[in-house]
Amino acid sequence: AFVGAHRVNGVSELHTRLMRETVFRDLHALHPEKITNETNGVTPRRWIHNCNPGLRGLLDETLGQNWVTNLDELERLAPLASDAAFLERFAAVKHENKVRLAAYLREQTGVDIDPAAMFDIQIKRIHEYKRQLMNILEVAALWNAIRRAPDAEWSPRVRIFGGKAAPGYAKAKMIIKLINDIAATVNADPLMQGRLRVVYPADYNVTMAEQLIPAADLSEQISTAGMEASGTGNMKFGMNGALTVGTLDGANVEIREAVGDDNIFIFGLTAEQVAQRRADGYSPSDAIAASPALSEVVAQIASGTFSPGDANRYAALVDDLRHHDWFLVAADFDAYHACQREIDVLWRDPAEWTARAVRNVAQMGRFSSDRTIRGYSRDIWAVDPVF
């Protein structure tokens, strides 16, 4: 396929570099002109204009309507990140979206959530490299910490998951089961009232995403570095005013370049460090032992804390985490846990949180699919686009 192709395209700068340096290294040396980069994009017609009417109206009033077909117009929002009146209106749009989502999730799941809490959302195909497992392990660690000090200053959170597993992907299905078991334990704990809720609505699809994304405060993009080609959920969330917590993977790298280090939460090993850690003989059991928070959670899962009456339910999952952990969940866990506590601190400064959210929206122009299609037209197909 490589030899016969006119071009071989990477869908983010990191993905393109890794194709040249790893997967197609020898072929790239023979055909250095073939591998090109056209970073993925998403359409603002669906992912702002259609699914977020409140933000659409605010953008129309502030910028006019040209942003719909020229997303670079969003850059004109940047100065408004220091305008208190605009921040108030932007925050009001977000709150309305969260009220609407809370009603939807109550109807779908029966779980009551507070729109004033941080809506922390990970919606993706369930796969080990995307590390929904690390997310739910951190939820359990937070649950433990809150139970030990319920009167400490906790930033209220709602952790929302969405996604499906491939039919034959048994481990992914076991992760889904674990998420729901931990959710049931957390949500039944009266100490978590006003502090922590976990929700996993069933049958995730694009229609559900159109409700989740406009309401998100925090976007979880936590894949093992070097594994995600690009991702587009990260772009959709950013366009709708969510801050990103993530690794330097896929298009997260370019989002950080666009929004700046102060407007994104980056943690964990880089792609090069992941490769080196594996080459050096990574020991997940040592990484777990070095983390009191993770050790406690793994022991709880192994003993049946989250699966009463079936203590061995997650034996295979725990064994894999302790002895294999190809996707370095244990290696990145403490960095992720610490980053989440930094996020808690920022959440307690609503004006600064909203200012950073506005700065994210302002820099999302490069992630429009219009830019991607123009790039394909110019660099690969050699045709004139009609827009």
Side-chain angles (χ1 to χ4, degrees):
F2 187 104
V3 171
H6 170 61
R7 289 285 186 270
V8 176
N9 186 57
V11 293
S12 72
E13 289 178 4
L14 176 63
H15 180 233
T16 304
R17 178 169 64 81
L18 291 175
M19 284 203 302
R20 289 169 177 159
E21 294 176 356
T22 60
V23 178
F24 295 128
R25 180 177 178 177
D26 294 342
L27 287 166
H28 176 60
L30 292 171
H31 304 279
E33 78 291 346
K34 280 204 174 184
I35 297 179
T36 60
N37 179 72
E38 301 294 346
T39 297
N40 279 338
V42 300
T43 172
R45 266 77 69 188
R46 176 181 287 273
W47 293 111
I48 304 177
H49 190 275
N50 184 62
C51 75
N52 196 342
L55 182 57
R56 176 187 70 212
L58 182 58
L59 294 178
D60 285 351
E61 185 177 335
T62 306
L63 305 175
Q65 297 183 353
N66 288 340
W67 65 270
V68 179
T69 52
N70 179 14
L71 205 61
D72 288 336
E73 288 279 305
L74 295 181
E75 289 183 13
R76 293 165 52 202
L77 294 175
L80 297 176
S82 57
D83 183 321
F86 181 81
L87 294 181
E88 186 175 335
R89 296 180 66 194
F90 186 93
V93 167
K94 179 66 72 175
H95 183 73
E96 290 172 8
N97 292 337
K98 292 170 71 175
V99 169
R100 185 164 55 249
L101 179 60
Y104 169 80
L105 292 177
R106 186 183 309 112
E107 179 183 338
Q108 294 293 314
T109 69
V111 180
D112 280 317
I113 60 176
D114 182 1
M118 183 198 311
F119 282 16
D120 173 349
I121 302 181
Q122 185 176 19
I123 46 174
K124 294 178 178 296
R125 178 169 50 91
I126 307 301
H127 197 290
E128 289 166 89
Y129 87 81
K130 294 177 185 286
R131 299 202 294 192
Q132 289 92 350
L133 177 59
M134 187 168 68
N135 189 340
I136 197 60
L137 293 174
E138 205 282 325
V139 170
L142 178 58
W143 175 66
N144 286 327
I146 294 173
R147 287 198 302 160
R148 274 191 287 271
D151 295 327
E153 189 175 15
W154 300 106
S155 294
R157 284 206 194 213
V158 180
R159 300 285 271 265
I160 302 171
F161 294 82
K164 296 176 179 177
Y169 197 167
K171 190 170 292 181
K173 293 184 175 184
M174 189 57 66
I175 291 169
I176 293 172
K177 181 64 175 172
L178 178 63
I179 293 169
N180 280 279
D181 278 348
I182 291 178
T185 302
V186 169
N187 294 342
D189 186 342
L191 277 178
M192 297 304 111
Q193 185 68 37
R195 298 178 177 91
L196 182 62
R197 281 284 180 270
V198 186
V199 189
Y200 194 153
D203 198 25
Y204 172 75
N205 56 25
V206 171
T207 301
M208 185 187 293
E210 289 178 320
Q211 299 197 59
L212 292 167
I213 288 170
D217 296 302
L218 187 67
S219 161
E220 296 271 354
Q221 308 296 330
I222 60 176
S223 53
T224 311
M227 299 299 300
E228 185 70 77
S230 166
T232 56
N234 45 10
M235 304 169 190
K236 297 165 189 171
F237 278 114
M239 286 180 184
N240 284 274
L243 302 188
T244 299
V245 56
T247 52
L248 285 175
D249 196 28
N252 291 352
V253 176
E254 290 158 84
I255 290 175
R256 184 182 70 160
E257 291 172 358
V259 305
D261 290 346
D262 291 341
N263 299 301
I264 190 170
F265 300 100
I266 296 295
F267 72 92
L269 301 172
T270 65
E272 291 76 16
Q273 290 168 336
V274 165
Q276 190 61 53
R277 192 74 175 265
R278 288 170 174 162
D280 289 343
Y282 167 56
S283 171
S285 59
D286 289 348
I288 293 169
S291 169
L294 181 56
S295 295
E296 180 180 25
V297 171
V298 172
Q300 287 172 322
I301 295 169
S303 67
T305 297
F306 304 107
S307 55
D310 187 3
N312 292 321
R313 180 177 298 167
Y314 298 109
L317 197 64
V318 169
D319 182 75
D320 184 78
L321 187 60
R322 285 174 169 162
H323 302 294
H324 304 287
D325 190 25
W326 179 251
F327 299 103
L328 283 81
V329 168
D332 270 349
F333 179 85
D334 276 355
Y336 178 56
H337 190 52
C339 189
Q340 291 286 14
R341 304 293 73 76
E342 294 174 16
I343 292 167
D344 283 339
V345 172
L346 182 64
W347 180 254
R348 296 194 285 270
D349 185 349
E352 179 58 24
W353 183 285
T354 305
R356 295 191 193 190
V358 169
R359 293 186 195 111
N360 269 262
V361 176
Q363 300 305 324
M364 285 295 118
R366 71 163 80 176
F367 302 108
S368 170
S369 56
D370 299 342
R371 185 267 312 148
T372 308
I373 294 165
R374 284 193 292 268
Y376 272 91
S377 300
R378 179 187 64 244
D379 302 330
I380 297 175
W381 301 326
V383 297
D384 293 326
V386 296
F387 59 94

